[in-house]
Amino acid sequence: MSLTIAQNLQQATEKLKPSSDSARLDAEILLAHVLKKDRIYFLTWPEELVSQPYQAAYLELLERRAGGEPIAYITEVQAFWSLQLKVTPDTLIPRPDTEILVQEALNLLHEDMNYTIVDLGSGSGAITLAIAVERPHCHILGVDQSKQAVQVATENANQLALHNVTFQQGDWLSDVADSSLDMVVSNPPYVAENDPHMSEGDVRFEPTSALLAGPEGLAAYEKILPEAKRCLKQKAWLLLEHGYDQQNKLLELMQQHGFKETRGVRDYGGQTRVVIGRI
Ligand code: GLN
């Protein structure tokens, strides 16, 4: 028996309630994905019948969501900055928290300069691509250890027709020459290995290589700091995203590695989120 759009959404919302705080929204996004409509359509045509094949496809996606799979992995898209990005289970799902890192980077990048920038652990390419869109004269290299992530990021760059970015598989800055960069940005893995949050919500489905960084979550910074120091030009900037309780420790580490003018920044949710320094 076919159900209407309104009936589908109501049943789906009930089905998702036990596992999701945003059951109604999830139900709408997934139906929109199946029917290739936007959510406004449902307000206009609630009585329209959903035909069998679509209904079956919808049920399949609802099962996945009820099993905890993130919406972004089911639909393979996530909004970040002004961009719609492809994401897959090979990449972290870009977070709104990370937009502050992009904003702080842009504040330091004059619009008409041809800076060379590297984004370490570029994943789906979110940070690289957001900076590239806003600073067309800059060239940005995104480096990730995962070949699959590099492929997703490259697809995103092609989709956006951006020509001032390159994505490359690599081990942090090991392929980058000394004193060659105007800026290094990174949202590296920074979650502590035994963090209990790893068994809740979306992170259960995300690549652990993009999340976990040793017993205190600082392992990636230990690698990045000396390498960034080697590759940055005089007075050039390093910007790093970090966890909610890591800012003081990370500022200290930056100073120990010789970074100057170090300061911390909060994200739009009020959490300490980014550190900045220059060499
Ligand atoms: N902000 C992410 C989280 O809370 C972690 C991202 C990262 O490790 N870079 O799960």
Side-chain angles (χ1 to χ4, degrees):
M1 191 191 75
S2 292
L3 300 177
T4 65
I5 283 176
Q7 287 166 334
N8 264 291
L9 289 175
Q10 205 199 332
Q11 286 195 1
T13 304
E14 289 310 313
K15 185 178 172 69
L16 296 181
K17 263 184 191 163
S19 57
S20 172
D21 296 336
S22 52
R24 173 75 192 190
L25 178 63
D26 294 0
E28 290 186 15
I29 292 173
L30 293 177
L31 189 59
H33 183 68
V34 167
L35 298 179
K36 299 191 171 51
K37 303 281 184 204
D38 56 65
R39 287 165 50 222
I40 297 292
Y41 186 88
F42 305 150
L43 294 175
T44 325
W45 305 105
E47 301 306 324
E48 187 174 296
L49 286 173
V50 177
S51 67
Q52 268 311 324
Y54 288 107
Q55 196 137 330
Y58 187 42
L59 278 178
E60 214 169 287
L61 301 193
L62 290 173
E63 285 301 331
R64 289 170 63 186
R65 181 61 184 145
E69 205 174 328
I71 287 281
Y73 287 158
I74 300 176
T75 60
E76 293 209 323
V77 292
Q78 175 67 35
F80 180 80
W81 200 254
S82 59
L83 313 173
Q84 291 291 331
L85 299 176
K86 173 172 175 172
V87 294
T88 74
D90 292 312
T91 67
L92 198 75
I93 301 165
R95 318 278 206 261
D97 304 339
T98 301
E99 292 182 350
I100 191 67
L101 175 64
V102 172
Q103 186 58 61
E104 291 293 329
L106 296 177
N107 292 348
L108 297 169
L109 297 168
H110 302 290
E111 292 212 18
D112 37 10
M113 299 285 286
N114 311 2
Y115 296 119
T116 304
I117 303 164
V118 172
D119 173 17
L120 294 174
S122 44
S124 63
I127 297 170
T128 310
L129 297 166
I131 296 176
V133 162
E134 302 295 336
R135 292 292 181 272
H137 297 295
C138 293
H139 188 274
I140 306 140
L141 168 67
V143 177
D144 204 290
Q145 64 174 6
S146 155
K147 201 169 101 190
Q148 290 86 346
V150 167
Q151 199 176 329
V152 172
T154 305
E155 272 182 56
N156 279 323
N158 292 341
Q159 183 69 32
L160 295 164
L162 282 171
H163 302 297
N164 58 332
V165 298
T166 312
F167 290 100
Q168 162 180 315
Q169 187 184 10
D171 179 24
W172 302 117
L173 288 162
S174 62
D175 295 331
V176 175
D178 294 1
S179 307
S180 60
L181 302 177
D182 298 290
M183 179 180 278
V184 171
V185 295
S186 182
N187 172 18
Y190 55 68
V191 178
E193 262 156 15
N194 59 357
D195 190 316
H197 293 110
M198 287 299 291
S199 56
E200 294 164 19
D202 286 4
V203 289
R204 290 172 298 164
F205 292 83
E206 294 183 293
T208 49
S209 58
L211 289 162
L212 298 183
E216 293 170 279
L218 297 170
Y221 303 122
E222 309 270 8
K223 296 217 163 168
I224 291 173
L225 287 168
E227 278 289 276
K229 181 177 176 182
R230 176 180 69 76
C231 294
L232 286 168
K233 298 177 187 168
Q234 280 299 312
K235 302 246 172 203
W237 295 98
L238 172 66
L239 292 86
L240 298 170
E241 178 171 326
H242 60 75
Y244 72 99
D245 57 355
Q246 293 171 325
Q247 190 161 89
N248 288 337
K249 180 71 200 165
L250 192 50
L251 285 169
E252 211 176 283
L253 278 177
M254 284 182 105
Q255 287 148 18
Q256 280 167 16
H257 281 89
F259 285 84
K260 311 275 185 234
E261 297 177 50
T262 53
R263 64 192 167 90
V265 181
R266 286 176 191 269
D267 63 25
Y268 298 115
Q271 294 280 1
T272 55
R273 181 61 65 196
V274 167
V275 290
I276 304 176
R278 78 202 302 196
I279 203 71

